[in-house]
Structure formats: structure tokens, C-alpha cells
Amino acid sequence: MRHPHRNALGALLPLALAAGLVHAAGAGPRDAIGTTASTATTLTVAKDGTGQYTTVQAAVNAVPANNPSRVVIAVKPGTYRETVKVPSNKPHVTLQGTGGSRTDTVIVYNNASGTPKPDGSGTYGTSGSATVAVEADDFQARNLSITNDFDEKANQSLSGHQAVALRTAADKVFLDGVIVTGDQDTLLLDTAAKDRLGRVYMSNSYVLGNVDFIFGRATAVIDRSVITLRKRWDGSSAGYVTAPSTAAGRKGILIANSTVNGDVSNGSFYLGRPWHAGGDASLDPQATVRNTTLSAAIKAAPWTDMSGFSWRDDRFAEYRNTGPGAGTASADRPQLTDAQAADQEVTDWLGDWTPAAS
């Protein structure tokens, strides 16, 4: 399904510029798809006690189970060092930073896959390491940052360095104007079950990481956003942007109208590789990168194999990318035809769902 080409990317965040992680062409316009929803219940969070709650999780806990309508959790500026989980029985929740910038409100923690649980029951595992975990449908987040600041260098003796900042396992997840930061496995876009649809739409946002840092089986769109490649803990440049684990018959990860950049070496990053989670050969991973500016960090052969599964047996393609990291069609660099691209638009991924700010 065709749609008009979206506006070019605008100016980047001062924080990201100062960190040297992004260039001067960056995040997209503030307009969102659809219309603004009607009045919602609002709960306020403030570290200094000026709100109803001092932690984000306390506000989530106050949302009634099976709530029928929108609840906005307005989070005042501050750094909230905590983990947050929105359980599946609390739909229609919005996390809204109230500061002037999405860097003003930060939710951060440092669990990793190999981090021991305090109760001695083992380690967190990759999915359990998330700073923010969303399991409820119709979730929204905007104008804030979600970070996993696990220190790989300081924890070399720890097995399992995957450290998720944000995990989604729900349908109709709208991420607008957020920053999601980590290193390995930053953004886990999952579904509630293999046979369940889980759509995610991210716009006007930033994702930072280095290894498989946009991954999972969701039907996910990253639109008009900036994907920033980060060096590894030892200062080296090497990594993978995506690792889709899409179920057969589903759409996977679509990156559109965006920018891929970062202060890393030329030709050091793959666009992606197929994640057959648990060795499941029935999966059919998909990643499409289109109408996106690619820095010289992207390899000339941008896709690679994973755990014995060949990317050539799955669904990986590009369309009309630009920049020094873009390339022409070849056996190592599949390009969509115009006809194929007409069926791989943002609206094809979202189906009957039109994300709207609420």
C-alpha cells in the first residue's frame, strides 16, 4: 500500500550530539499518525514528592486491572533508577515525560541476562533484563528516555551480557519521541506468543546499541527515526543492527525514512541477521530497510548468517537507501522492485491500526 514519502529528518538532540553518537541530520517531525484521543485519566510521578507517586512502577500498580480506557502516567523530569513492568491486564497506558526534552525524564536500570536475581533463583535471562517491560496492548510512550546502562567492561566475569532497555510483548504499541539506549539487545520487540500478532510503531525516536540491538518477532516499524551504532565495551567497532525472529506468515522489522549513523569504523556493522530463536526452523525472519540514509559503517554485504541459519533462506531486503553505506542490487544485497516495495509500506505493516497520540 503506497503512502506519501514522509518529511526529511530534522535536527538532532543536543545530548546525542555531545556524545558524538549522531550526526546533524536526525529525528523526524513531531506530527503523529492519526488524531489525538479524548480525555484520559492522569496519574503523576515525581521523585521530589510533588506528584501522586515517587516511582513509575507505583503509578503502574495503581492502574486498575482491565482498565477500559486511557490512563496517562505523567512523569516529571528526573532520573528514575528502577525497573518497570506494565502487565498484560493493564492496557491503554501511556508513559509521558513532562519535561521540555525527552532527555529530561530517564528511566534506567542495569540488569543483564547473566545478572543473578536477588532471591537466588537464577539469572534474569535476556527478556527478564529489561528496564521497561510492556506486556499490555495499546501502550504508548513519548518524550522520555529508557536506558539499560549495564557496564560490560566492569562485568567481564559475568556470563550473558545481553541487556535490554525496552521489551514489548503486546499489540498496538506506539513509541513516539523516545530514546532507547543500550549496547547488546537494546530493543526487544516481541509478541505475547508465537501465534499472536504484536505490532509496534516507533517514530521520531532514537535507538542506540551495537549487537542485535533491534530484535524479536514483532511486526515492527521504525519510521522517521535515528539508529545510532555504538562501539563495543573494548572500543572496537563490530555489530548487527537487527535480528528478527519473525514467525512464518507475519511481517517482521521495517526500518523506513530513517538514518543509521554513529561514531564507529567504516564497514563494521551488518544491517541484520536471522534469529531462529531456540533453533526453530519454522520461523521466517524478515527485515526491510528502505528510504533510509546509511552511514559508511554499513558493510557492502549487509546481511549475514546466524547460528547455522542462512539469511538467504529468510527475508532480507533494501529499497532506495542512500548515503555512503548504501549499495546497488547484487546477490549479496537484495533490493525490492518498485512493485514489491509498494506492498512493504508502513501502512502494510500496521494493517487496520492507525496509531494516534493519546
Side-chain angles (χ1 to χ4, degrees):
M1 179 181 285
R2 298 182 185 276
H3 64 74
H5 186 72
R6 301 191 189 281
N7 296 333
L9 299 173
L12 285 187
L13 294 175
L15 175 69
L17 285 169
L21 298 174
V22 291
H23 297 210
R30 294 300 311 177
D31 60 299
I33 289 179
T35 57
T36 302
S38 58
T39 304
T41 299
T42 299
L43 307 176
T44 59
V45 178
K47 288 184 67 67
D48 62 6
T50 59
Q52 296 166 277
Y53 306 95
T54 57
T55 67
V56 179
Q57 187 62 57
V60 172
N61 293 346
V63 176
N66 304 308
N67 51 297
S69 58
R70 179 66 49 188
V71 176
V72 175
I73 297 175
V75 187
K76 293 186 178 183
T79 298
Y80 298 82
R81 180 160 285 277
E82 60 176 301
T83 58
V84 177
K85 181 177 179 179
V86 183
S88 60
N89 66 346
K90 297 193 177 186
H92 319 304
V93 168
T94 295
L95 289 186
Q96 171 81 51
T98 65
S101 165
R102 63 198 113 184
T103 62
D104 291 344
T105 302
V106 180
I107 305 171
V108 57
Y109 212 73
N110 62 346
N111 283 333
S113 176
T115 301
K117 293 181 180 179
D119 62 3
S121 62
T123 59
Y124 283 99
T126 299
S127 62
S129 71
T131 299
V132 175
V134 176
E135 298 177 354
D137 292 346
D138 194 22
F139 172 88
Q140 301 190 6
R142 59 178 48 83
N143 196 42
L144 49 76
S145 297
I146 299 171
T147 298
N148 190 316
D149 64 353
F150 172 70
D151 188 340
E152 289 189 72
K153 185 175 182 178
N155 289 279
Q156 282 298 293
S157 61
L158 195 69
S159 63
H161 284 190
Q162 300 90 341
V164 177
L166 173 61
R167 174 175 70 92
T168 69
D171 191 31
K172 300 181 180 179
V173 174
F174 185 18
L175 308 171
D176 183 35
V178 301
I179 305 172
V180 185
T181 304
D183 284 321
Q184 183 173 352
D185 290 12
T186 303
L187 179 59
L188 172 50
L189 303 170
D190 205 355
T191 68
K194 182 179 174 180
D195 61 349
R196 294 276 300 275
L197 178 63
R199 289 167 292 181
V200 179
Y201 180 70
M202 170 180 269
S203 66
N204 189 39
S205 294
Y206 300 81
V207 186
L208 294 80
N210 49 40
V211 176
D212 302 331
F213 66 97
I214 302 171
F215 72 114
R217 65 186 172 204
T219 295
V221 177
I222 298 175
D223 185 23
R224 298 175 295 144
S225 293
V226 176
I227 296 167
T228 296
L229 313 174
R230 306 180 75 184
K231 290 181 179 178
R232 305 293 300 277
W233 66 271
D234 59 1
S236 63
S237 297
Y240 315 85
V241 178
T242 66
S245 59
T246 324
R250 298 281 191 199
K251 295 185 183 298
I253 296 171
L254 173 64
I255 297 172
N257 314 308
S258 294
T259 295
V260 178
N261 60 20
D263 183 17
V264 294
S265 301
N266 291 353
S268 60
F269 271 74
Y270 291 97
L271 283 177
R273 56 182 181 168
W275 179 33
H276 285 257
D280 187 347
S282 73
L283 299 177
D284 192 15
Q286 180 183 31
T288 297
V289 181
R290 59 172 298 162
N291 305 105
T292 289
T293 302
L294 304 179
S295 78
I298 299 303
K299 291 177 177 286
W303 311 106
T304 191
D305 302 340
M306 185 177 187
S307 303
F309 290 92
S310 171
W311 70 268
R312 299 177 191 277
D313 295 331
D314 295 311
R315 299 173 289 167
F316 293 89
E318 297 175 79
Y319 181 70
R320 294 193 177 183
N321 292 324
T322 57
T328 57
S330 70
D332 292 328
R333 195 149 202 176
Q335 305 285 326
L336 300 176
T337 65
D338 289 345
Q340 290 170 329
D343 291 327
Q344 294 200 33
E345 301 275 7
V346 171
T347 48
D348 295 304
W349 253 247
L350 301 182
D352 63 358
W353 174 45
T354 301
S358 61

